[in-house]
Amino acid sequence: MKIVLEHLTKKFISKHNKNEIVTAVNDFDFEIPDGKLVGLLGPSGCGKSTTLNLICGLEEPTSGKIFFGDLDVSKLPPENRGVGMVFQNYALYPHLTVRQNIMFPLENLKGADKLSKEVMEEKALEAAKLVQIEMLMDRRPSELSGGQQQRVAIARALVKTPGVLLLDEPLSNLDARLRLQTREQIRRIQKETGITTIFVTHDQEEAMSISDMIVVMSAGVLQQMGKPQEVYNDPINLFVAKFLGTPAINVFDGYIRDHGLYIGDDRIGERNVEDQEVYIGVRPEAFDPKENGSFKCKYDRTETTGRDTSIVCHNDKCISDEDIRAIISADEPVYINDGVITFDLKPNKVHVFSKKDESVIR
Ligand code: ATP
């Protein structure tokens, strides 16, 4: 099912100050293609949950519309939208068994939609098999691990074969290993069912790893939408560049003069635009250690974590909160002279942004 958001806006009266209006979602206007897994991504408070709540009908838009396929669902109550929703805290009923929890949405069906107990049990088993918990059907939630509980919540959301599946931070209560496993499971289930799925997270790595597309938001405003790698490789503004990538992009005060791109006195590249001051973002993988490289830094230390070797260094023009990190392969020679290390910077890993509005300068 394709999802279309048409100038969707949601304003709230601030919880702290009754005279203040918070625009949680500001003029969202985009389309999610049928059958895709979309990661909705942004810092805390940027409007991710509000967007999901609008799509599933728990919140009413202040203005704008929501379409599922060609159907305007903006005014439909949640139960008539055909949406499965999974929350961060699972929200399972503690006194019910796994089977009863999964069957619960079917029990509420009325009139012509009402199902016999046998059919409900069959459907519950089918959903349980999809998330691989069919052997746990008679347990109660307290007898399950966090990951298993999360899978029950997903099975419950799938049991009515929804056209749209919404997952709000579904992995944040799980430990690192289980997160990894469960996100792979979610990807598999989504591929098997082909249900259009929106997955909310503030963890960019999580979103990048399983999504067909990501939507990056900040303060209620859509910043950029696209395939994860495309957005990472070609960020539209400084916010997106800083939000995606671990370690984070290194940001410098720089300038363009006579088509040369400079950090301090070092000419590190070119830009065919008029002279101006700019922000220069350099990805950690941009650094290429060279004996007479164009970019000089003060060497601090080398850190090896797993496969990666990071060179930690300093430069007066760096304005990132953290030290500069250059990721290189472990067997690459480095050149340090009098405490100064030199690099060439790979042009496709260097991004330049306007100081006026932080938009990209290509
Ligand atoms: P988090 O990652 O912390 O869950 P989020 O990106 O999901 O954050 P939302 O919960 O959608 O963000 O909130 C967006 C903004 O709207 C915030 O400033 C929040 O305080 C505000 N907001 C959300 N719900 C309400 C409400 N019912 N009344 C007033 N303000 C609200």
Side-chain angles (χ1 to χ4, degrees):
M1 178 91 73
K2 167 178 90 171
I3 303 173
V4 181
L5 307 185
E6 210 177 81
H7 298 294
L8 189 68
T9 296
K10 178 67 186 178
K11 297 182 184 201
F12 291 110
I13 295 168
S14 165
K15 285 178 183 161
H16 312 293
N17 176 356
K18 292 271 174 270
N19 297 320
E20 198 188 318
I21 302 286
V22 179
T23 306
V25 172
N26 193 350
D27 197 22
F28 270 21
D29 200 46
F30 62 84
E31 182 176 319
I32 295 173
D34 180 31
K36 296 288 182 207
L37 175 62
V38 174
L40 199 55
L41 189 60
S44 183
C46 73
K48 303 182 295 292
S49 298
T50 304
T51 307
L52 281 203
N53 291 341
L54 287 165
I55 293 173
C56 77
L58 290 175
E59 295 281 2
E60 213 179 291
T62 308
S63 58
K65 287 185 174 167
I66 302 163
F67 292 87
F68 288 174
D70 295 325
L71 181 68
D72 181 353
V73 298
S74 318
K75 298 263 188 287
L76 284 184
E79 61 274 19
N80 294 351
R81 292 194 186 191
V83 172
M85 180 106 182
V86 178
F87 299 94
Q88 175 179 348
N89 59 7
Y90 321 140
L92 299 177
Y93 300 107
H95 58 288
L96 300 184
T97 62
V98 168
R99 178 181 288 101
Q100 290 165 330
N101 264 287
I102 300 175
M103 272 166 47
F104 193 80
L106 302 176
E107 311 251 13
N108 289 333
L109 294 175
K110 306 241 157 45
D113 294 333
K114 201 168 163 48
L115 300 174
S116 69
K117 189 141 194 289
E118 291 74 46
V119 174
M120 282 195 276
E121 291 204 351
E122 213 173 281
K123 282 184 179 283
L125 186 63
E126 225 172 87
K129 279 186 180 160
L130 203 57
V131 298
Q132 298 170 342
I133 49 158
E134 67 272 23
M135 65 306 261
L136 306 172
M137 296 298 262
D138 295 315
R139 292 206 198 168
R140 288 182 207 284
S142 61
E143 297 164 322
L144 302 176
S145 71
Q148 289 166 338
Q149 289 184 40
Q150 186 55 293
R151 282 190 267 161
V152 177
I154 295 172
R156 187 179 57 184
L158 291 173
V159 76
K160 275 166 81 177
T161 41
V164 173
L165 180 64
L166 305 177
L167 305 158
D168 195 353
E169 302 258 6
L171 308 178
S172 43
N173 289 348
L174 306 179
D175 68 38
R177 189 176 288 264
L178 208 50
R179 271 181 97 105
L180 205 69
Q181 276 175 11
T182 312
R183 82 184 188 201
E184 296 307 325
Q185 291 259 6
I186 289 175
R187 185 55 174 155
R188 176 186 59 76
I189 294 162
Q190 194 275 333
K191 279 217 158 120
E192 272 178 42
T193 56
I195 297 175
T196 311
T197 301
I198 307 180
F199 177 96
V200 159
T201 176
H202 56 262
D203 181 334
Q204 48 100 16
E205 200 196 320
E206 198 162 277
M208 302 261 301
S209 64
I210 61 167
S211 307
D212 295 308
M213 292 168 83
I214 54 170
V215 175
V216 184
M217 305 173 54
S218 166
V221 178
L222 184 144
Q223 303 291 314
Q224 192 168 2
M225 179 173 185
K227 290 186 181 157
Q229 206 55 40
E230 284 174 12
V231 178
Y232 178 82
N233 288 339
D234 195 10
I236 199 153
N237 59 30
L238 185 60
F239 175 86
V240 175
K242 282 161 71 170
F243 197 75
L244 297 183
T246 26
I249 198 164
N250 304 284
V251 184
F252 299 86
D253 271 326
Y255 57 95
I256 295 168
R257 198 172 59 206
D258 297 334
H259 299 162
L261 182 62
Y262 290 86
I263 297 175
D265 293 332
D266 297 338
R267 182 177 169 130
I268 56 132
E270 280 151 33
R271 274 297 179 284
N272 215 356
V273 293
E274 62 190 31
D275 292 2
Q276 59 189 296
E277 305 230 323
V278 292
Y279 295 114
I280 300 178
V282 181
R283 292 274 182 215
E285 63 274 24
F287 295 85
D288 189 8
K290 281 273 159 58
E291 192 162 10
N292 291 309
S294 58
F295 185 50
K296 300 181 209 60
C297 288
K298 280 188 218 110
Y299 175 77
D300 185 326
R301 62 187 188 277
T302 300
E303 287 177 1
T304 307
T305 44
R307 279 174 319 168
D308 289 337
T309 297
S310 298
I311 294 176
V312 182
C313 47
H314 304 285
N315 181 295
D316 291 346
K317 298 296 175 194
C318 181
I319 55 170
S320 307
D321 295 336
E322 290 161 22
D323 294 334
I324 301 169
R325 266 172 202 278
I327 296 183
I328 60 166
S329 57
D331 47 5
E332 214 167 342
V334 295
Y335 305 91
I336 304 167
N337 243 326
D338 257 353
V340 174
I341 182 165
T342 50
F343 304 96
D344 278 348
L345 299 180
K346 295 173 192 158
N348 61 339
K349 297 286 177 187
V350 173
H351 305 285
V352 182
F353 303 98
S354 155
K355 280 220 165 171
K356 284 194 207 105
D357 60 4
E358 302 191 352
S359 62
V360 72
I361 298 174
R362 294 196 174 93

